[in-house]
Amino acid sequence: MSLHARLVVTRPAFALDLALEVAAGEVVALLGPNGAGKTTALRALAGLTAMSPGGRITLDGHDLHHLPADRRPIGVVFQDYLLFPHLSALDNVAFGPRCQGVPKAEARRAAAALLDRVGLAGHAAARPGRLSGGQAQRVALARALAVRPRLLLLDEPLAALDAHTRLEIRSGLRHHLAGFNGATVLVTHDPLDAMVLADRLVVIEHGAVVQQGTPGEVARHPRTDYVARLVGLNLYRGTARGVGVQVGELLLSTSERLTGPAFVAFPPAAVALYRSRPDGSPRNLWPARVGGVERHGDHVRVHLDGPISAFADITPAALADLDLTPGREVWASVKATETHAYPA
Amino acid sequence: MLVGPALLGLAFLVLPLAGLLVRAPWATLPARLAEPQVLEALRLSLLSATVATAGCLLLGVPLAWLLARVEFPGRRLVRALVTVPLVLPPVVGGVALLLVLGRRGLVGEWLAATFGVTLPFTTAGVIVAEAFVAMPFLVISVEGALRGADQRYEEAAATLGASRWTVFRRVTLPMIMPGVIAGAVLCWARALGEFGATITFAGNFPGTTRTMPLAVYLALETEPEAAIVLSLVLLAVSVVILASLRDRWVSTP
């Protein structure tokens, strides 16, 4: 393991306490809702936010937590990039090496090589104000890599970009992260960024880790409502009794056989809606009330209240046929084979 | 109800300046400007105001940084103390300087005994008096610029390995330069016009401590035309400063 950390930041209205381990060459994404403590964790790693007693950071066997930011072997890509507006792209990238005592000519040569690597050789002389968002992001990445960090920290690296640029820059960033041999921690609230860029996700809520695993594991087995919403699943916690999971008053039949505390998850598209009770159905069936209806891509997402609250995705045609308005009583059903149960 | 007093106020501010222009002895102006006493006073004024401004920059910028960037107990009190010379009658400032830096003053006696340096009634005394009165303008302007500057750039520089001094020199200072320049210009203008503290602390000796404002006051009693000419020069300098501030620094902070 390259990075071992326990990040502890205690404030009057907020407490962050999480353990983080990142191997050399590994990319870990800290994923969480706003206010979960992701950025605070990143700032603590960078040395920009003081840690409370109990916090420690060890990188390649050396303690970092007692060092100020300028003495840590880190590179940071900030959310708004924070390129120095009075310096050219080249001098921004050369800034770190210059601080490390590299002679000016050599630092500029190295910076030019890095800018070339991120495809910006032609923009070396440009001031940050003249760069597009995507170009600024790449200069920021080159600037962070120029100090040859052992730990690379990225704070919402794609949040400031428009959708089109984002797609392109995301794949470019993935490529550059793959070529970096130190540990990488990236903070994002976008599940797609996290899934594409990271080898492992660490989901944070209220200053603590609620789930971690590979993107695939987290997407298949969400353990909190936040993660379930991120990956687009209905999620319930209940007690498994063989072929079903008791969730409140409702027994949901599942294809897996389990006992004890368990989660059940199913996608909104697996939920079918009926105006009247369907006959002789072997499915999970429950009465629900329409809470709201919203457009969701090329389908319609229906919010259901009832014994369990759920999302159902239906076609616009089905919405018209069923005449679903908020407050209407419907029957909802899900096939057992479309559900997925796993131990809690 | 509002336009009347507004016009009256405008007239009140502009008329005296217009009077200066109307009564100026335009025919004899070139000859008067070339008089040795005028040139001497002008040279002394420009020199002492410039040196005083340089001194203020050297001490005032770090002081502004301290006030804006370092948390320490009593910071509000220190900020209040810094602004005292701003509201203090300059004559009082001159008296206070005499008590501290005078030949028998708290620090002055030690300065005289140790280095043989006496400040009162010397050009150095003029510079000290001007700096005392003008430095708050610089400190306040630079502190405002520091508070307005985005500190995250300084954090970014720190993560790149920059020490506190490097951060200040290569990131903070370039970013607040408009504020520093505006502050320095205000400081210089204030130093150039300094009268009360200068005459109290440094006296009124031609060639060494008689700056333009002192020369204006003196000339008014003996030959009013000379006073008008000297005043015109100071007015011209003020207008140039105002114009340069507006166009280049104040509008683009």
Side-chain angles (χ1 to χ4, degrees):
Chain A
M1 276 293 187
S2 169
L3 175 77
H4 288 269
R6 179 164 169 237
L7 306 174
V8 183
V9 178
T10 313
R11 297 208 185 108
F14 173 78
L16 174 80
D17 189 346
L18 57 97
L20 196 61
E21 312 237 313
V22 187
E26 192 185 21
V27 180
V28 167
L30 297 183
L31 187 66
N34 287 334
K38 311 181 293 279
T39 296
T40 305
L42 203 75
R43 288 178 59 86
L45 282 171
L48 297 172
T49 292
M51 284 209 288
S52 307
R56 54 169 186 79
I57 301 166
T58 310
L59 184 66
D60 298 334
H62 303 287
D63 283 349
L64 289 193
H65 45 269
H66 58 272
L67 294 176
D70 57 295
R71 306 267 308 280
R72 297 188 185 191
I74 53 167
V76 186
V77 176
F78 292 88
Q79 183 165 3
D80 306 319
Y81 316 134
L82 301 179
L83 297 175
F84 306 127
H86 56 285
L87 297 180
S88 67
L90 185 75
D91 284 332
N92 262 282
V93 178
F95 186 95
R98 289 287 291 134
C99 290
Q100 292 175 338
V102 176
K104 190 165 191 171
E106 200 184 319
R108 297 186 125 212
R109 242 194 329 273
L114 266 168
L115 280 178
D116 190 34
R117 229 172 78 194
V118 298
L120 288 174
H123 295 78
R127 291 287 172 94
R130 310 204 56 131
L131 297 173
S132 71
Q135 290 167 341
Q137 198 272 354
R138 285 181 284 163
V139 174
L141 180 68
R143 185 176 72 169
L145 289 172
V147 295
R148 300 175 180 278
R150 295 304 303 150
L151 172 62
L152 183 63
L153 306 170
L154 302 104
D155 189 3
E156 302 276 4
L158 303 169
L161 302 173
D162 60 72
H164 175 70
T165 320
R166 201 172 172 130
L167 197 68
E168 181 190 320
I169 295 296
R170 190 190 286 128
S171 64
L173 182 58
R174 184 186 157 82
H175 169 75
H176 290 297
L177 291 183
F180 175 64
N181 60 12
T184 303
V185 176
L186 96 97
V187 152
T188 180
H189 68 272
D190 184 325
L192 189 54
D193 289 349
M195 303 263 173
V196 172
L197 295 172
D199 303 314
R200 192 153 53 84
L201 306 187
V202 173
V203 184
I204 304 178
E205 285 178 55
H206 307 298
V209 175
V210 292
Q211 184 170 5
Q212 51 183 312
T214 64
E217 280 165 21
V218 172
R220 273 193 303 277
H221 298 153
R223 302 186 76 85
T224 73
D225 283 340
Y226 167 73
V227 183
R229 271 201 306 279
L230 278 186
V231 299
L233 292 177
N234 289 304
L235 176 72
Y236 309 96
R237 192 189 169 111
T239 312
R241 298 154 196 255
V243 290
V245 177
Q246 187 74 42
V247 179
E249 298 159 21
L250 193 68
L251 180 70
L252 286 168
S253 314
T254 58
S255 43
E256 290 92 349
R257 301 186 69 88
L258 284 175
T259 52
F263 286 112
V264 188
F266 53 86
V271 181
L273 299 181
Y274 306 92
R275 284 291 297 276
S276 54
R277 186 183 177 113
D279 294 326
S281 170
R283 300 165 166 192
N284 293 305
L285 187 68
W286 70 94
R289 180 185 293 113
V290 175
V293 174
E294 65 179 315
R295 183 123 195 127
H296 205 264
D298 59 357
H299 54 261
V300 176
R301 177 154 288 185
V302 183
H303 300 234
L304 298 172
D305 301 323
I308 57 174
S309 53
F311 294 117
D313 285 352
I314 59 174
T315 62
L319 178 77
D321 289 345
L322 291 165
D323 185 25
L324 294 181
T325 49
R328 180 169 299 282
E329 307 278 345
V330 294
W331 288 88
S333 82
V334 175
K335 286 183 195 161
T337 51
E338 303 239 39
T339 67
H340 182 35
Y342 46 96
Chain B
M1 285 301 275
L2 286 175
V3 176
L7 292 178
L8 202 62
L10 183 66
F12 175 66
L13 290 177
V14 173
L15 269 182
L17 302 181
L20 204 57
L21 293 174
V22 169
R23 295 291 296 274
W26 295 105
T28 58
L29 194 63
R32 289 227 176 247
L33 279 176
E35 276 175 31
Q37 308 96 295
V38 174
L39 290 178
E40 204 172 57
L42 188 60
R43 185 194 63 82
L44 184 64
S45 271
L46 295 179
L47 174 79
S48 54
T50 305
V51 176
T53 303
C56 288
L57 279 169
L58 228 49
L59 302 178
V61 172
L63 179 55
W65 175 84
L66 192 74
L67 289 173
R69 287 287 188 274
V70 184
E71 290 277 354
F72 59 90
R75 183 161 72 163
R76 290 168 61 120
L77 181 71
V78 173
R79 186 181 295 119
L81 286 176
V82 166
T83 52
V84 165
L86 210 60
V87 291
L88 194 73
V91 178
V92 179
V95 172
L97 284 173
L98 264 181
L99 292 179
V100 173
L101 295 171
R103 252 178 274 265
R104 314 284 293 276
L106 295 169
V107 179
E109 199 164 5
W110 173 79
L111 274 179
T114 315
F115 300 105
V117 176
T118 51
L119 289 174
F121 314 114
T122 63
T123 304
V126 173
I127 292 164
V128 168
E130 290 181 350
F132 177 78
V133 172
M135 194 150 92
F137 287 87
L138 182 84
V139 174
I140 287 173
S141 172
V142 174
E143 199 205 339
L146 278 169
R147 289 185 180 282
D150 192 338
Q151 286 191 47
R152 296 179 307 152
Y153 287 99
E154 297 173 9
E155 291 183 345
T159 67
L160 292 167
S163 64
R164 192 140 94 166
W165 169 240
T166 307
V167 171
F168 180 77
R169 191 173 52 88
R170 292 206 53 205
V171 176
T172 314
L173 203 54
M175 290 182 72
I176 62 162
M177 200 41 99
V180 174
I181 292 173
V185 170
L186 279 176
C187 175
W188 188 82
R190 180 68 186 86
L192 191 73
E194 220 302 302
F195 179 85
T198 309
I199 201 165
T200 314
F201 182 61
N204 182 13
F205 302 108
T208 53
T209 72
R210 183 176 297 164
T211 56
M212 290 287 281
L214 272 58
V216 171
Y217 181 74
L218 202 71
L220 204 55
E221 301 191 331
T222 52
E223 39 176 343
E225 271 199 2
I228 296 172
V229 170
L230 290 169
S231 299
L232 270 181
V233 173
L234 285 179
L235 176 66
V237 172
S238 309
V239 168
V240 167
I241 287 168
L242 195 65
S244 63
L245 264 184
R246 282 197 91 101
D247 293 351
R248 284 164 69 179
W249 300 307
V250 173
S251 54
T252 53

